[in-house]
Amino acid sequence: MGKVESKVLAEKAKPRGKYPHVKRAGDFLFVSGTSARRPDNTIAGAEVDEFATTHLDIRAQTKAVLENIRDILKSVDAQLENVVEVTTYLVNMNDFAGYNDVYGEFFSYEGPARTTVAVHQLPHPHLLIEIRAMAYKPEKTK
């Protein structure tokens, strides 16, 4: 099958459990569910104003998630073009249009197969979206 290895990136938000950001299994790369959480644990697309009103932006969160996935793949010498499948978890299907618009800035019809599902909640109340990805990137041969 080739090598199997896991990687946690110090420059990304620390996983909330004992799992890697990315795992290689032979020619396949599996990116764990990724959110808009930054390394300092703030969340892109989540702002609280002076009246303590929370403003959540699906477009900003989607962009941040896909950029995080891009960076994680780059750390293992891959790119978004190597992604063959994604599963997206949305807290609210009313956010589908905004998510879909931003997703289309990163991928075309030639992009990965995709499934989008609604979930009751994610690990933080300000998170609107999480995406997991599988990529195909053959191991380098010596």
Side-chain angles (χ1 to χ4, degrees), residues 1 6 8-9 23-24 31 33 37 39 41 46 49 57-58 62 67 72 77 85 98 104 114 116 137-138:
M1 172 173 78
S6 302
V8 175
L9 285 72
K23 184 167 198 84
R24 174 179 280 282
V31 178
R37 199 163 52 97
N41 284 318
D49 67 20
D57 182 340
I58 188 62
T62 302
E67 288 172 344
I72 290 167
D77 197 33
E85 182 182 32
R114 182 180 93 174
T116 304
K137 176 72 174 172

Side-chain angles (χ1 to χ4, degrees), residues 101-116:
D101 286 345
V102 174
Y103 182 93
E105 295 172 13
F106 288 81
F107 297 107
S108 70
Y109 287 109
E110 300 300 316
R114 182 180 93 174
T115 301
T116 304

Side-chain angles (χ1 to χ4, degrees), residues 116-137:
T116 304
V117 297
V119 294
H120 173 68
Q121 63 186 15
L122 290 168
H124 190 284
H126 293 170
L127 292 175
L128 300 173
I129 184 171
E130 180 173 298
I131 299 175
R132 64 180 295 273
M134 182 175 64
Y136 177 76
K137 176 72 174 172

Side-chain angles (χ1 to χ4, degrees), residues 24-96:
R24 174 179 280 282
D27 293 340
F28 288 94
L29 300 164
F30 299 88
V31 178
S32 294
T34 302
S35 72
R37 199 163 52 97
R38 300 177 183 119
D40 67 359
N41 284 318
T42 60
I43 297 170
E47 306 298 330
V48 180
D49 67 20
E50 67 273 14
F51 302 109
T53 302
T54 303
H55 302 276
L56 303 177
D57 182 340
I58 188 62
R59 291 173 182 275
Q61 287 198 21
T62 302
K63 182 176 189 249
V65 170
L66 292 171
E67 288 172 344
N68 280 335
I69 291 171
R70 180 197 61 207
D71 294 347
I72 290 167
L73 288 170
K74 186 177 179 184
S75 79
V76 289
D77 197 33
Q79 51 195 338
L80 289 175
E81 289 77 12
N82 297 111
V83 176
V84 295
E85 182 182 32
V86 298
T87 302
T88 301
Y89 306 93
L90 293 176
V91 173
N92 187 335
M93 274 298 174
N94 289 327
D95 287 332
F96 185 84

